[in-house]
Each structure stands twice: as C-alpha cells, then as structure tokens.
Amino acid sequence: MNELREVPVWLWLCIAAVLLVQGIWLFRTEQQRGKGRRAWFWGIWGLTGFPSPAVCYLLFVVWPEARRRKQ
C-alpha cells in the first residue's frame, strides 16, 4: 500500500483527466450517433478504465456500423 503513497499527485491528476475525457468522448459520440440509449453505459464505463472501453466501443459499435454502410 505504500507504493500508492509514492505516486506523485500530478500523475493522479493526469489519470483522472484521461478517464474523464474518455468517458465524455464515449458518451457524446454515442449520443450523436442517434441511438443514445446506451450513451450512459458507454460514458460510465469509460470512466472506469483506459483504453479497454474505447477499444470495445470502436470494435463493437463503430466498426460494424461502418462495415454496414460500406456494403
């Protein structure tokens, strides 16, 4: 537990900023896609970790939709 006390404050702030930006980006992107029903899910999940939620969003939402449009 002492390892967490040795982490500088600026690093914690950077981590918080990255998670916040990712959560907002996922929320806003899903809202703008017109569906919006899962926007809260993606936004909250985006606040929990990096980069897994963004990668999953791109693989399971953006990529299949782009493939459908292309065909």
Side-chain angles (χ1 to χ4, degrees):
M1 198 67 162
N2 287 335
E3 298 87 21
L4 292 178
R5 292 184 185 155
E6 295 173 6
V7 177
V9 174
W10 63 268
L11 184 59
W12 286 113
L13 293 174
C14 288
I15 292 170
V18 166
L19 292 175
L20 186 64
V21 167
Q22 176 182 259
I24 291 171
W25 175 74
L26 289 171
F27 178 79
R28 298 283 299 185
T29 305
E30 184 63 19
Q31 254 188 344
Q32 290 173 355
R33 288 189 166 275
K35 296 175 185 164
R37 0 171 246 243
R38 296 185 190 118
W40 285 102
F41 167 75
W42 288 108
I44 291 172
W45 191 28
L47 294 172
T48 62
F50 179 79
S52 301
V55 170
C56 289
Y57 182 75
L58 292 172
L59 286 176
F60 297 121
V61 176
V62 175
W63 188 53
E65 193 171 303
R67 287 183 65 199
R68 268 186 248 123
R69 285 183 189 167
K70 196 173 186 180
Q71 292 176 351

